[in-house]
Amino acid sequence: MTAFLYALTVLIWGTTWIAIKHQLGLVAFEASIAYRFALAGAVLVCALGLAGRLKPIPWRHQPFVLLQALCLFSCNFACFYLATRSVPSGIVSVVFSAATIFNVANAYLFHRRRPAPRVLAGAVIGLLGIACLFRDTLLGTALNQDTALGLGLALLGTWFFSAGNLVSARNQRHGLPVATVNAYGMLYGAALVAAVALLRGVPFGFDPSPPYVGALLYLAIPGSVIGFTAYLTVVHRIGPEKAAYMTVLFPVVALTISVFAEGYRVTPLAALGFALVLAGNVVVFAPVRALRAQRKGRPEAACKA
């Protein structure tokens, strides 16, 4: 069952990027984000309520739930939606897989935690991969402003996601139920995006076409409700370290789809960059015992790690 949930999370979160692409068009991206998380939050609240698992959150913790919503269910997705306008969705997903690099920076910035040498090594490898991945695209368009902006937004969205992880960890340390925080956080995120959009005069239209409605339902139910539930279940069963390997596999799925669905062409340098990003994530997350066992030529010990 754990293996099924593991594979399900990789498949769902590896394909949500192409669904985001289908939401860009007639409807403002702010409206699409608000619709997605309003629907996902409502579904999750109803499901938890029916199961008797919806817990009250004390007022003193509400600002941190709101901060988690700001980082995980609003600002980061606004950046991703905008980035997908300028660069292929598969590339955006590769940048997202480099969230571990931002985790290193945020952990030092906010908690002054110095990373282990292998974490630094993985971060450097990942940064080199991103540079290789976007070199051909940027130079091929003579540093096109839209492409550069798309890259910057994808990186900014990934930073927000990483900061949201720290806020989520804080909430868990204070005993707040993960599912309940996610449910309220999704509703808060939808309200935040909607409020900013209304202040800016953004029209809240709706596209009834099958591609848009299908993408909305996919992003809200599988992408948000089922995806987060499956991911958190795997984390509970096998631990966060092993579950983190899923982020390495997301871009493999997304970039493969991008090749066929968006006509993205993988150049040799881009392929090298893609491999470096994945290698950086593996170096960051590989269990220390397994790495030592491999260096000593004891594969059986690595398997047990």
Side-chain angles (χ1 to χ4, degrees), residues 78-95:
C79 292
F80 291 141
Y81 272 66
L82 283 172
T84 310
R85 286 179 170 180
S86 305
V87 295
S89 60
I91 294 297
V92 178
S93 76
V94 173
V95 177

Side-chain angles (χ1 to χ4, degrees), residues 115-131:
R118 69 188 182 95
V119 175
L120 280 176
V124 171
I125 293 172
L127 287 173
L128 288 174
I130 291 176

Side-chain angles (χ1 to χ4, degrees), residues 105-215:
N106 285 333
Y108 180 78
L109 181 64
F110 294 108
H111 298 294
R112 289 294 185 267
R113 289 204 306 264
R114 293 184 179 275
R118 69 188 182 95
V119 175
L120 280 176
V124 171
I125 293 172
L127 287 173
L128 288 174
I130 291 176
C132 292
L133 194 61
F134 284 95
R135 180 184 179 276
D136 285 345
T137 302
L138 292 174
L139 295 184
T141 54
L143 293 178
N144 180 280
Q145 223 174 10
D146 288 341
T147 304
L149 180 61
L151 170 58
L153 287 169
L155 290 171
L156 181 60
T158 304
W159 183 88
F160 273 118
F161 176 83
S162 176
N165 287 341
L166 295 181
V167 179
S168 177
R170 178 267 171 203
N171 290 335
Q172 292 183 50
R173 285 197 301 271
H174 284 77
L176 301 183
V178 174
T180 295
V181 171
N182 283 339
Y184 288 126
M186 289 177 186
L187 293 177
Y188 289 170
L192 286 169
V193 174
V196 172
L198 289 173
L199 289 174
R200 293 179 57 239
V202 175
F204 270 72
F206 190 79
D207 182 1
S209 67
Y212 182 86
V213 174

Side-chain angles (χ1 to χ4, degrees), residues 23 49 195 267:
Q23 289 210 304
T267 65

